[in-house]
Amino acid sequence: MLVWFCELALENDSESLVNRLSPQQLTRYRRFCRPVRASQYLYSRLFYKRVLSALKANGQPNDFPIGQPHPPIETEYGRFYTSLTHSDRYFALSFSHFPNAIDAEVMVQRDFLQLADWFTDKQTIRTIKESSDRTRDFYRFWCRHECQIKLGDNNLNDYGFTEEVIETDYLPVMLCCLHRCEDKPTIRYIRDVLRDPLELRL
């Protein structure tokens, strides 16, 4: 399993890149009011196109369905499953021969004791409230919860979580992957989503 953790080039002139989007993607892109959401959408779709091209995918999906797992993609190297997440100036794309899910959250300070009640699992709430590192534990459980939602009703008996805190120039980011236990993720930090090498091999 490969995971690309990508930084948005917010200072770049993104409007010069929108002509690379499909008409359907362009329509969706124009609906975003917040510039950071528009940038997340634009750069994640351009990066995904790079990945599909490198894999020699058989046809390319026009866009991801909203609120549903990504459909698998057929390539010269077999079938692959992807998952995508955005948080502030970052996004991550995971890629595996098996269904997977990924979530990333910039670890901003919050009222973690109050937000712990967001979880329905009493053991999780207790762990967060008693933790010596509430920030890390809160985001760990939050990202796990989001991954489980993204993967849906798949049989999770052979699945496990891998979490990593990515230190960035801004704030640390909790990155969580839900994957088959034997399909451990390799994480690559991409600073230029249009030019940095993809390094498809593990």
Side-chain angles (χ1 to χ4, degrees), residues 170-192:
Y170 174 50
L171 285 169
V173 178
M174 175 64 74
L175 182 67
C176 178
C177 308
L178 178 57
H179 55 86
R180 284 203 341 160
C181 293
E182 56 270 32
D183 190 28
K184 294 287 185 188
T186 297
I187 300 169
R188 299 206 168 105
Y189 198 151
I190 301 288
R191 295 182 188 274
D192 187 334

Side-chain angles (χ1 to χ4, degrees), residues 1-4 55 80 95-98 182-188 198-202:
M1 177 180 186
L2 279 176
V3 176
W4 291 282
L55 290 171
F80 289 96
F95 151 90
S96 170
H97 283 295
F98 306 99
E182 56 270 32
D183 190 28
K184 294 287 185 188
T186 297
I187 300 169
R188 299 206 168 105
L198 297 177
E199 299 181 61
L200 290 169
R201 293 181 184 176
L202 290 173

Side-chain angles (χ1 to χ4, degrees), residues 16-84:
S16 65
L17 300 171
V18 297
N19 62 344
R20 299 189 193 181
L21 297 175
S22 71
Q24 179 182 343
Q25 289 172 333
L26 185 58
T27 298
R28 193 166 164 193
Y29 169 78
R30 296 287 187 208
R31 290 182 184 150
F32 292 112
C33 298
R34 292 174 50 223
V36 70
R37 285 293 294 124
S39 292
Q40 288 171 349
Y41 183 86
L42 173 63
Y43 286 101
S44 64
R45 271 44 178 196
L46 294 180
F47 186 75
Y48 187 70
K49 280 187 172 185
R50 283 189 66 202
V51 171
L52 293 184
S53 178
L55 290 171
K56 301 178 182 174
N58 303 327
Q60 298 188 7
N62 208 6
D63 206 352
F64 305 125
I66 298 173
Q68 299 175 35
H70 298 179
I73 54 174
E74 304 294 339
T75 78
E76 289 189 5
Y77 306 97
R79 173 176 286 182
F80 289 96
Y81 296 84
T82 61
S83 182
L84 179 68

Side-chain angles (χ1 to χ4, degrees), residues 5 24 27 72 75 102 107 129 168:
F5 179 78
Q24 179 182 343
T27 298
T75 78
I102 190 167
M107 296 169 68
K129 289 184 175 179
T168 72

Side-chain angles (χ1 to χ4, degrees), residues 49-202:
K49 280 187 172 185
R50 283 189 66 202
V51 171
L52 293 184
S53 178
L55 290 171
K56 301 178 182 174
N58 303 327
Q60 298 188 7
N62 208 6
D63 206 352
F64 305 125
I66 298 173
Q68 299 175 35
H70 298 179
I73 54 174
E74 304 294 339
T75 78
E76 289 189 5
Y77 306 97
R79 173 176 286 182
F80 289 96
Y81 296 84
T82 61
S83 182
L84 179 68
T85 183
H86 308 90
S87 185
D88 202 83
R89 62 181 73 182
Y90 306 100
F91 71 89
L93 177 68
S94 60
F95 151 90
S96 170
H97 283 295
F98 306 99
N100 64 88
I102 190 167
D103 193 61
E105 296 293 338
V106 175
M107 296 169 68
V108 297
Q109 289 300 310
R110 301 170 185 260
D111 184 344
F112 296 115
L113 289 180
Q114 182 179 7
L115 289 171
D117 292 333
W118 178 72
F119 297 99
T120 56
D121 177 1
K122 291 182 180 178
Q123 179 59 44
T124 300
I125 295 170
R126 188 178 309 113
T127 300
I128 292 169
K129 289 184 175 179
E130 295 174 358
S131 174
S132 60
D133 189 345
R134 285 195 188 122
T135 303
R136 184 183 181 96
D137 282 336
F138 174 82
Y139 282 107
R140 181 166 60 92
F141 286 118
W142 181 348
C143 290
R144 283 184 173 202
H145 181 74
E146 291 293 318
C147 283
Q148 288 174 314
I149 292 171
K150 289 180 181 182
L151 201 53
D153 295 330
N154 289 281
N155 185 342
L156 301 181
N157 290 340
D158 298 326
Y159 277 70
F161 292 97
T162 297
E163 293 115 6
E164 184 168 328
V165 175
I166 309 288
E167 297 296 337
T168 72
D169 296 335
Y170 174 50
L171 285 169
V173 178
M174 175 64 74
L175 182 67
C176 178
C177 308
L178 178 57
H179 55 86
R180 284 203 341 160
C181 293
E182 56 270 32
D183 190 28
K184 294 287 185 188
T186 297
I187 300 169
R188 299 206 168 105
Y189 198 151
I190 301 288
R191 295 182 188 274
D192 187 334
V193 299
L194 302 177
R195 296 179 189 85
D196 281 0
L198 297 177
E199 299 181 61
L200 290 169
R201 293 181 184 176
L202 290 173

